[in-house]
């Protein structure tokens, strides 16, 4: 019976002690603090440029050299200055917080003088430890402000006359400085991508920015520090502009975005300020590169480079731009008001829209200009090819070694002027191009050159090169993964090589589909931000494995801007819309999950008005007033709440929309959403709303349970894994029925359908249940170690380097997010590093490892905002060791698998007698048998267990005479070679009797 039903915690000590106890125990006795302060961040980023939050949050991490147990911060002091010299002299002319008695070291709100547009600020911090001793001042950090008011923007929107949206255009502006600048920033807001150059050099390592947004309401801009690029004398600023995502025509609210940009450089000299802004004096010219393809579903194309038109010195002062034309100024006052377009996207969003490439800019710009908060996109990782072979048609096929999303680069030789080389990119070997991904290169008279993407990317592994008359060398080829510059913050290795591969491939899949600041379904066929995969991936992949604070702040803003006037959230954040509930559930599920991991209350506050409107929309689409659940649309239609799970082993059929099973799925989702909304309201002290959501939740749970539950069998409908798990997770199942429902779920996983029985929309709650609620990582391990179809192991057996769209491992999208979201199994599950429900935000957390199955060790680290948390365990037949590291200024509740507390040692004594450790209880667990629970402060702890609990699986329910019916289906080990059998979209089990 699961641990939720059998809590045997010794509450006596738990009630007597608290986190405060362990945080003050056993500190060092030095006369001065040994704290070192590191990783200073502002708004989740290191030295960010051009932020527009006028009360920014500051964070730091504390390292303690002696690793003293129970050490923490007891106070802090922050100095903010207008110059680095002032800061070095401790002259805090902007803000001196004074000594603040607090252990807060993450997202401390700035409370100084008003911050000014285009100004740079420098800051440092020192802290006091538990002995009252202060640290040294940290190294200085900095941040700069963007243009905070619309009136601060002086530049015009400009464009090139007679341009096409396929063009990549150059712009430049010459000017003279009489001295080297004191500071210099340029602000660029563009529809589509841009790159900034100063005096011939590219500024920053960013590529393909800004990220996407709901451009009818908001356009992100970027800030660049160009001080070091400028000089006394002649200077030139260049902008390379490409329409990129502004060619995308699947937002009816803003169908034909104008291909324009504006820029403004604020340069500070000793005695004066220079403001350089875009206007008609800027010169422009079409560059030597352009787009290929439509930039729509099924045809994102690529780029063409015409070497004959190359001018590498176009952005230098020596270049003569006399034959360039002047830029055109876009008159927004006279522009066309934009309404809802009647463009036909098709009932399922599969129709390609008419191109607007030839249209001049006419649509009125209604967007607010806001600083891009998420990290800029960069060349995230280099990809090295592994093979080049000649195909039967005489073309050369490059194997890049893995499916990835990003740039392809190649040095080219032996050409003749005008010869064209074509690069076709595919995510599977059997085709030359996946979804018309292709780029081109035209030789000049030198016969040599270099191709690289700049303003488009492709998803694939195999590059077929046509028109080449020699076999290329591997050393002349490379690729780059393109995504936002978010650092990986986790590591996982175990005794299972298969598990290790699943962990890394899953993260690679997440990164391969995170482009333009949005998680998309795939990078080649659609590039649509279907919401259900974000609900899953933010929980499992993003928050436990990558820096995600800035990313989620940006994404939440996108969600809020895209909300319909009636309160409905978007199911596809960047495209044509649907009314499928899980696809719209990032509010509030992902918002609340982010708070649980990061403790960011501002995220909740900013999102709350959106949440209120959305919850009211859902209320209007429910039968709450009559004691019912959601109103369910016509079966087989796309009406709300629509589809249940999608791309499951059992199939994904549009006819399942609004079926009884899908209705149960969506009613459970709504209950889980109400619970998240309730928790948000309680956290923000919105008492009336909390009562409202609590009442609705009670009715929703009761009505959902009554709909398709069979009390005789303990099953919801057909009793599939998702049916049972969702009901338990969302609190739909009454306490009196939980044991039956739970036993049926376990029986499904072990015997009746022993496969990973969910898909893209079920993944979000399926992973949550087995990781943190049902806590059955033993069952998940059984599923993950399987190599037969359908399974993650089967994907790997088929040579997949990222997850495909379908469990069959075949099909026309081999880079897809249907099965991402499992990253939490490794960090939160096997390692057990997760938030404490009583103290959210990871300053106080749980470590609850799961040494299950035949795993003999797992080593895991997770770098929280406070520091690196480590959970390493190793076991043999009956003994185990657990090596735990808790960062300074945090505490943890540690769960150690053991039969009883007497067999748990830490050092040379029983754990409860060891320094800084407090025994607080025990807990039964179906996965590991029994946990002994301790409360600890910061420090390193080495537990040794001499007697591990024994666990076993239950016998099958309703055990049939034919035992083959409860074993794994032998036919499922086949390798599928055709898209026609078994059915393309699902797994058809065949019993061997």
């Amino acid at each position: 019976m699961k641990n939720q039903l059998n809590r045997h915690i010794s509450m006596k000590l738990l009630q007597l002690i608290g986190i405060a106890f362990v945080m003050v125990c056993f500190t060092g006795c030095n006369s001065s603090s040994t704290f070192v302060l590191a990783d200073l961040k502002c708004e989740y980023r290191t030295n960010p440029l051009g932020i527009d939050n006028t009360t920014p949050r500051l964070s730091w991490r504390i390292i303690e050299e002696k690793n003293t147990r129970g050490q923490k911060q007891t106070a802090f002091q922050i100095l903010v200055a207008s110059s680095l010299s002032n800061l070095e002299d401790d002259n805090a002319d902007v803000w001196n917080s004074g000594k603040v008695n607090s252990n807060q070291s993450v997202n401390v709100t700035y409370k100084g003088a008003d911050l000014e547009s285009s100004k740079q600020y420098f800051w440092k911090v020192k802290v006091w430890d538990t002995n009252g001793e202060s640290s040294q001042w940290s190294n200085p950090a900095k941040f700069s402000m963007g243009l905070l008011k619309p009136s601060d923007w002086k530049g015009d929107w400009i464009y090139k006359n007679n341009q096409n949206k396929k063009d990549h255009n150059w712009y430049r502006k010459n000017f003279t400085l009489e001295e080297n600048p004191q500071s210099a920033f340029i602000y660029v807001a563009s529809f589509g991508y841009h790159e900034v150059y100063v005096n011939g050099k590219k500024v920053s390592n960013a590529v393909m920015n800004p990220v996407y947004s709901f451009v009818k309401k908001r356009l992100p801009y970027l800030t660049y520090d160009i001080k070091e690029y400028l000089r006394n004398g002649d200077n030139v600023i260049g902008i390379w502009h490409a329409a990129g995502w502004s060619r995308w025509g699947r937002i009816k609210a803003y169908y034909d975005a104008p291909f324009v940009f504006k820029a403004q450089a604020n340069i500070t000299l000793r005695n004066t300020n220079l403001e350089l802004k875009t206007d008609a004096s800027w010169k422009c010219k079409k560059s030597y590169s352009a787009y290929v393809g439509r930039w729509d579903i099924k045809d994102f194309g690529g780029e063409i480079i015409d070497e004959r038109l190359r001018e590498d010195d176009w952005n230098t002062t020596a270049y003569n731009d006399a034959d360039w034309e002047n830029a055109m100024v876009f008159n927004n006052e006279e522009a066309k008001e934009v309404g809802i377009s009647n463009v036909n996207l098709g009932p399922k969003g599969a129709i390609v829209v008419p191109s607007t490439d030839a249209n001049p800019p006419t649509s009125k710009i209604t967007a607010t200009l806001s600083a891009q908060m998420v990290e800029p996109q960069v060349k995230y990782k280099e990809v090295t090819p592994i093979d080049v072979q000649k195909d039967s048609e005489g073309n050369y096929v490059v194997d890049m070694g893995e499916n990835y999303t990003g740039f392809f680069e190649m040095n080219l030789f032996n050409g003749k002027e005008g010869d064209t080389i074509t690069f076709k990119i595919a995510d599977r070997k059997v085709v030359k191009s996946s979804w018309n991904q292709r780029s081109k290169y035209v030789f000049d008279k030198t016969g040599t050159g270099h191709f690289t993407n700049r303003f488009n990317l492709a998803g694939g592994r195999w590059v077929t090169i046509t028109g080449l008359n020699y076999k290329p060398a591997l050393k002349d080829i490379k690729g780059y993964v393109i995504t936002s510059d978010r650092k990986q913050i986790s590591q996982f290795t175990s005794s299972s090589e298969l598990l290790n591969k699943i962990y890394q491939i899953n993260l690679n899949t997440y990164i391969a589909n995170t482009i333009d600041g949005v998680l998309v379904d795939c990078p080649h066929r659609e590039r649509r931000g279907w919401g259900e995969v974000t609900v899953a991936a933010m929980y499992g992949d993003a928050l436990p494995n990558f820096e995600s604070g800035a990313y989620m702040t940006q994404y939440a803003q996108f969600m809020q801007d895209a909300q319909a006037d009636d309160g409905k959230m978007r199911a596809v954040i960047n495209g044509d819309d649907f009314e499928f509930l899980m696809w719209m559930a990032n509010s509030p599920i992902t918002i609340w999950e982010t708070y649980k991991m990061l403790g960011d209350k501002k995220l909740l506050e900013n999102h709350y008005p959106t949440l209120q409107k959305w919850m009211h929309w859902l209320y209007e689409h429910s039968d709450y007033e009559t004691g019912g659940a959601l109103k369910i649309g016509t079966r087989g239609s796309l009406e709300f709440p629509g589809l249940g799970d999608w791309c499951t082993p059992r199939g994904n059929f549009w006819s399942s929309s609004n079926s009884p099973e899908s209705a149960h799925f969506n009613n459970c989702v709504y209950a889980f959403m109400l619970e998240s909304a309730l928790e948000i309201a309680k956290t923000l002290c919105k008492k009336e709303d909390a009562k409202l959501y609590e009442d609705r939740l009670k009715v929703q749970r009761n009505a959902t349970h009554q709909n398709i539950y069979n009390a005789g069998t303990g099953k919801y409908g057909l009793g599939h894994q998702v049916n049972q798990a969702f009901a338990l997770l969302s609190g739909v199942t009454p306490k009196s029925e939980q044991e039956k429902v739970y036993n049926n779920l376990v029986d499904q996983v072990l015997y009746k359908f022993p496969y990973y029985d969910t898909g893209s929309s079920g993944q979000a709650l399926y992973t949550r249940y087995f990781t943190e609620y049902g806590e059955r990582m033993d069952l998940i391990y059984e599923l993950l170690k399987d190599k037969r179809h359908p399974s993650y192991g089967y994907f790997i057996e088929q040579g997949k380097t990222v997850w495909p769209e379908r469990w069959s491992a075949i099909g026309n999208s081999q880079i897809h997010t249907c099965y991402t979201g499992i990253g939490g199994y490794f960090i939160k599950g096997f390692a057990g590093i997760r938030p404490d429900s009583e103290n959210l935000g990871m300053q106080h957390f749980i470590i609850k490892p799961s040494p299950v199955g035949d795993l003999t060790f797992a080593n895991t680290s997770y770098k929280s905002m406070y520091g690196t948390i480590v959970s390493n365990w190793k076991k043999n037949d009956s003994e185990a060791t657990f090596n735990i590291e808790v960062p300074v200024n945090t505490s943890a509740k540690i769960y150690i698998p053991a039969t009883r507390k007497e067999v748990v040692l830490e050092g040379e004594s029983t754990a409860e007698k060891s320094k800084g450790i407090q025994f607080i209880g025990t807990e039964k667990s179906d996965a590991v048998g029994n946990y002994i629970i301790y409360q600890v402060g910061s420090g390193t702890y080495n537990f040794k267990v001499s007697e591990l609990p024994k666990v076993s699986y239950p016998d099958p329910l309703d055990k049939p005479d034919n035992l083959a019916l409860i074993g794994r289906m032998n036919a499922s080990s086949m390798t599928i070679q055709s898209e026609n059998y078994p059915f393309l979209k699902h797994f058809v089990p065949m019993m061997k009797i």
Side-chain angles (χ1 to χ4, degrees), residues 417-613:
E417 185 173 5
D419 285 354
T420 298
I421 305 298
T422 301
F423 308 94
K424 298 179 180 179
I425 300 92
D427 64 0
R428 43 195 177 126
K429 199 172 183 178
V430 294
V431 298
K432 286 184 171 60
S433 174
S434 296
W435 302 106
N436 293 312
Q437 295 182 113
R438 74 276 187 201
S439 287
K440 297 182 178 182
Y441 177 87
V442 181
F443 279 107
D444 69 357
K445 61 184 179 181
T446 68
T448 63
H450 179 77
F451 173 83
T452 182
N453 293 108
R454 185 180 304 276
F455 293 123
N456 202 352
L457 45 72
R461 172 175 175 174
W462 290 274
V463 182
T464 298
I465 307 173
T466 64
L468 201 64
N469 57 17
Y470 68 95
K471 183 177 181 179
L474 292 178
K475 66 181 179 62
D476 289 319
I477 303 169
K478 61 184 172 183
Y480 289 99
V481 172
I482 304 299
T483 191
S484 295
D485 193 14
R486 300 158 61 200
K487 303 297 187 293
Q488 184 174 334
I489 57 174
S490 69
Q491 295 293 328
F492 174 87
T493 57
S494 74
S495 58
S496 167
E497 284 304 313
L498 176 59
L499 215 58
N500 299 339
K501 288 179 181 178
I502 291 173
Y503 167 75
Q504 191 57 57
I505 290 174
N506 181 68
L507 296 188
N508 292 346
T509 308
Y510 173 73
I511 288 297
N513 290 283
T514 304
I515 53 178
D516 292 334
V518 176
L519 180 67
V520 297
D521 57 341
C522 56
H524 40 30
R525 189 181 70 203
E526 299 179 41
R527 292 194 196 176
R528 288 192 278 195
W530 297 90
E532 93 283 17
V533 294
T534 291
V535 184
M538 283 305 298
Y539 171 79
D541 304 332
L543 288 163
N545 294 287
F546 295 96
E547 293 176 332
S548 296
Y551 175 88
M552 192 57 209
T553 303
Q554 187 87 41
Y555 190 86
Q557 186 182 75
F558 199 160
M559 282 198 296
Q560 288 147 205
D561 289 340
Q563 185 178 32
D565 291 340
D566 66 357
K568 179 188 168 296
M569 301 303 293
R570 292 189 74 86
V572 184
I573 198 167
N574 69 333
D576 36 315
D577 207 18
F578 297 83
E579 292 193 346
F580 304 155
L581 183 58
M582 181 61 94
W583 282 252
M584 300 184 286
N586 282 292
S587 173
I589 294 176
T590 302
I591 295 292
W592 179 240
E593 184 61 37
T594 304
Y595 178 77
K596 288 168 66 177
M597 291 294 288
L598 300 180
D600 189 344
K601 200 169 184 179
K602 184 177 176 62
L603 177 72
L604 303 186
E605 293 168 343
N606 289 347
H607 189 74
Y608 198 73
T610 297
L611 173 65
Q612 288 177 301
K613 289 174 63 178

Side-chain angles (χ1 to χ4, degrees), residues 44 57-60 103-108 598 865-866 889:
Y44 295 108
R57 284 88 52 78
L58 309 176
S59 305
W60 54 90
N103 69 351
Q104 185 179 1
S105 59
V106 170
N107 286 336
V108 176
L598 300 180
M865 292 286 286
Y866 298 93
N889 206 32

Side-chain angles (χ1 to χ4, degrees), residues 25 28 78 107 110 117 122 308 327 362 366 388 457 512 598 744 907 945:
C25 285
I78 297 172
N107 286 336
Y110 168 85
S117 283
F122 302 83
R308 298 169 298 180
T362 59
T366 54
V388 178
L457 45 72
L598 300 180
N744 269 286
V945 176

Side-chain angles (χ1 to χ4, degrees), residues 489-490 543-544 597 827 833 842 860-864 867-869:
I489 57 174
S490 69
L543 288 163
M597 291 294 288
I827 311 304
I833 302 170
M842 297 301 287
T860 311
S861 66
Y862 164 73
K863 187 177 180 181
S864 77
T868 301
I869 302 167

